Amino acid sequence: YIVQPQPLIRKFAFQLYQAGWYFMQATNNPTDNQNLEKEHAFRTYLTSYSIYKHKNWGQIDDHLHYVLGRLSFSLGRNDDALFYMGLLLKHNRQLPNVQASYLKEFLHIYKSTLGKTENQVELPLPLINQKSFKINLQDYCSTVGD
């Protein structure tokens, strides 16, 4: 796909993504090569991510961040795991239950790597200026027909 006169970059990236998925499926079989297969999966997902990362395609970005975070954690790359899982929390484009699941996974990885990682993790939480903070309470329920 990539060596054609007009390269099919998205098709190439999708084929890499699928290869990563197949390598991940191969880790479910009890063999001695599970770490090697995880390494292959990590590399193919990472290469696919390098193509997709500037496209701003929400679900693909989120899925690749999640998979790269999980693979990094299982391979013992704690800094990478926290980086990719942190990217999931940086964008608020998930449903609340999915975002809660991502946050739970991030906290699990963070607790497991506490003291083992070199970098500090910054959660993308909003900053609140308490001096200009206002709360407006309104009922947005419409009473149609009353």
Side-chain angles (χ1 to χ4, degrees):
Y1 300 113
I2 200 100
V3 293
Q4 295 181 358
Q6 254 188 323
L8 304 172
I9 302 296
R10 286 184 297 179
K11 193 164 193 162
F12 173 69
F14 184 69
Q15 294 293 323
L16 283 171
Y17 170 83
Q18 283 184 318
W21 187 81
Y22 285 122
F23 281 124
M24 282 299 296
Q25 295 304 310
T27 63
N28 294 335
N29 298 331
T31 64
D32 294 333
N33 296 328
Q34 283 185 337
N35 268 355
L36 183 62
E37 290 159 351
K38 285 181 185 179
E39 285 284 344
H40 286 317
F42 182 79
R43 281 195 304 270
T44 55
Y45 276 124
L46 189 61
T47 306
S48 177
Y49 173 65
S50 70
I51 295 168
Y52 283 126
K53 73 178 171 183
H54 297 296
K55 303 287 188 202
N56 289 326
W57 292 345
Q59 290 181 337
I60 293 173
D61 287 343
D62 289 347
H63 181 71
L64 287 172
H65 292 152
Y66 180 74
V67 170
L68 287 168
R70 295 279 310 231
L71 279 170
S72 297
F73 180 67
S74 68
L75 291 169
R77 300 175 183 170
N78 299 331
D79 290 335
D80 290 341
L82 290 172
F83 171 75
Y84 289 115
M85 295 307 281
L87 288 176
L88 274 174
L89 302 176
K90 194 174 257 187
H91 303 289
N92 189 11
R93 55 184 170 220
Q94 302 101 5
L95 296 172
N97 59 341
V98 174
Q99 196 170 26
S101 172
Y102 288 159
L103 181 61
K104 184 177 178 183
E105 189 74 28
F106 175 84
L107 291 174
H108 169 72
I109 291 173
Y110 181 74
K111 287 178 186 176
S112 299
T113 61
L114 202 58
K116 299 177 189 175
T117 184
E118 299 167 7
N119 297 329
Q120 286 186 339
V121 179
E122 292 184 30
L123 284 177
L125 298 174
L127 297 175
I128 299 173
N129 185 351
Q130 294 179 354
K131 294 178 182 176
S132 65
F133 186 71
K134 294 181 182 179
I135 298 177
N136 294 323
L137 299 175
Q138 287 184 323
D139 186 9
Y140 287 104
C141 297
S142 63
T143 54
V144 177
D146 287 338

